[in-house]
Amino acid sequence: TAGRREGVPVRCFDAALAQRSARQLLLHGQLRHALQRGEVTVHYQPQVDCSSGRVVALEALVRWQHPHLGLLLPGAFLDVAERSSLITPLTETVIGLVAADVAGWCAAGRDLVVAVNLSARVLDAHLLDVLEGHLARHGVPARALELEVTETAALADERTSSALLRELRRRGHPVAIDDFGTGHAGLTYLRTVPASTLKIDRAFITGLDADPRKQAVAHQVSALAHRLGMDVVAEGVETARDWAAVRAAGCDRAQGYWLGRPVPAADLPTVLAAAEARTRTHTPAG
Ligand code: C2E
Ligand code: MG
Ligand code: MG
Ligand code: MG
């Protein structure tokens, strides 16, 4: 009605939006070359085993070392990649870098599972070929490469994605549902999703010790995930108290700034040692 329409603000020109689009347009133009020039890299964040306190896995997080803008986080360019076909070569770049790094660590005697994030758009048969090619080239077993898909991505086209996730599992890859709790996944989804790992979103983890309702959710979600045969990862462990609380809630692995920030591969020895020193200090013996 006319009355309703009056309530809608007239937007002639949204400067912030226009600026954002201009920047995105610019980045889109540069991303293809950035991929070719090797400006797209990955940082790694440790995941700690809640009972041993040892680093058992890493999450690979894409970064763009931009020649003028500095180090860009995915929030600045992932949208651009996802809305164009560049998400496919970007994902391939990440998988190639990770496979090479995993092979190096394996040769050095450190067995680490590395998790790679996947957008809904790349969940197709081509991805299977890409994974197989890179793993074979570097002699890395499928079980060393975990794949993370958000609840929202997995739900977007549920039948296609669950067939693909099932095939990844069949090939030996661990599969994680990322940011669990932020989307609209229901219990049917949880019962049928072919995942081996559930990552509880940091909205339920950060500040866990001070919030009985978050504790109730974290505790029950991990109990349910365990009964469904999944491992549980807590994201967003930012304090020693979060670390104690996620262990009390029954999570298997923990990840967050308190345990270690994402860093380039070269800095991992320092970050891993620091994470393990922390968990040693803050875990009661026995
Ligand atoms: P995500 O997969 O949920 O990754 C965790 C994000 O939370 C990372 O942000 C990480 O730096 C941040 N984080 C880790 N610990 C903490 C903490 O204790 N507190 C807080 N506040 N944040 C923490 P980042 O690196 O900016 O990545 C953002 C998102 O971009 C990722 O969220 C993932 O969805 C996406 N992404 C990252 N790399 C890739 C990639 O290679 N491919 C695709 N398709 N998506 C990616
Ligand atoms: Mg993730
Ligand atoms: Mg996440
Ligand atoms: Mg997240």
Side-chain angles (χ1 to χ4, degrees):
T1 67
R4 269 185 81 125
R5 209 170 277 159
E6 270 167 26
V8 179
V10 181
R11 260 216 316 221
C12 299
F13 182 74
D14 187 325
L17 191 70
Q19 207 166 47
R20 186 163 168 258
S21 318
R23 187 180 162 108
Q24 295 210 330
L25 212 61
L26 179 78
L27 291 179
H28 177 234
Q30 297 172 340
L31 185 54
R32 189 183 305 277
H33 303 286
L35 285 162
Q36 287 159 359
R37 283 196 293 255
E39 291 168 19
V40 173
T41 61
V42 288
H43 283 187
Y44 295 97
Q45 185 177 30
Q47 289 182 357
V48 169
D49 178 88
C50 286
S51 26
S52 70
R54 300 222 48 197
V55 175
V56 290
L58 304 170
E59 180 171 8
L61 296 157
V62 69
R63 300 289 184 260
W64 178 357
Q65 189 63 59
H66 192 283
H68 310 303
L69 301 172
L71 187 73
L72 298 181
L73 298 177
F77 63 90
L78 207 57
D79 244 22
V80 167
E82 281 178 352
R83 280 197 251 155
S84 65
S85 51
L86 292 174
I87 189 63
T88 301
L90 181 143
T91 305
E92 294 181 23
T93 297
V94 169
I95 291 170
L97 292 168
V98 168
D101 284 339
V102 173
W105 298 324
C106 209
R110 182 105 203 204
D111 272 317
L112 291 164
V113 171
V114 180
V116 168
N117 292 279
L118 299 176
S119 302
R121 279 201 58 176
V122 304
L123 299 178
D124 58 21
H126 175 66
L127 173 73
L128 297 173
D129 294 341
V130 168
L131 281 167
E132 200 173 68
H134 283 294
L135 294 181
R137 179 162 333 126
H138 295 282
V140 170
R143 70 178 146 74
L145 217 141
E146 182 167 50
L147 299 159
E148 295 192 5
V149 178
T150 63
E151 199 186 27
T152 320
L155 281 170
D157 181 357
E158 206 178 336
R159 246 189 310 166
T160 322
S161 69
S162 67
L164 194 95
L165 299 184
R166 217 172 291 283
E167 178 57 22
L168 289 170
R169 291 294 307 282
R170 202 191 61 76
R171 293 178 180 211
H173 291 283
V175 168
I177 299 303
D178 204 354
D179 300 346
F180 183 76
T182 57
H184 299 284
L187 292 175
T188 303
Y189 174 78
L190 209 53
R191 181 173 59 78
T192 56
V193 69
S196 50
T197 309
L198 196 71
K199 294 189 79 174
I200 304 179
D201 192 76
R202 67 179 143 88
F204 299 95
I205 302 295
T206 309
L208 187 65
D209 65 294
D211 188 335
R213 299 182 76 93
K214 283 187 187 175
Q215 283 163 24
V217 173
H219 196 280
Q220 294 303 327
V221 166
S222 42
L224 182 58
H226 286 151
R227 293 204 61 178
L228 293 168
M230 291 185 270
D231 277 347
V232 177
V233 178
E235 304 189 302
V237 171
E238 293 187 350
T239 62
R241 280 172 316 202
D242 289 343
W243 164 242
V246 298
R247 280 178 298 131
C251 298
D252 303 289
R253 284 183 260 162
Q255 178 181 351
Y257 291 162
W258 185 76
L259 293 159
R261 291 188 175 251
V263 292
D267 298 343
L268 273 176
T270 314
V271 169
L272 266 50
E276 293 179 353
R278 285 201 154 166
T279 60
R280 264 198 308 278
T281 323
H282 289 86
T283 309

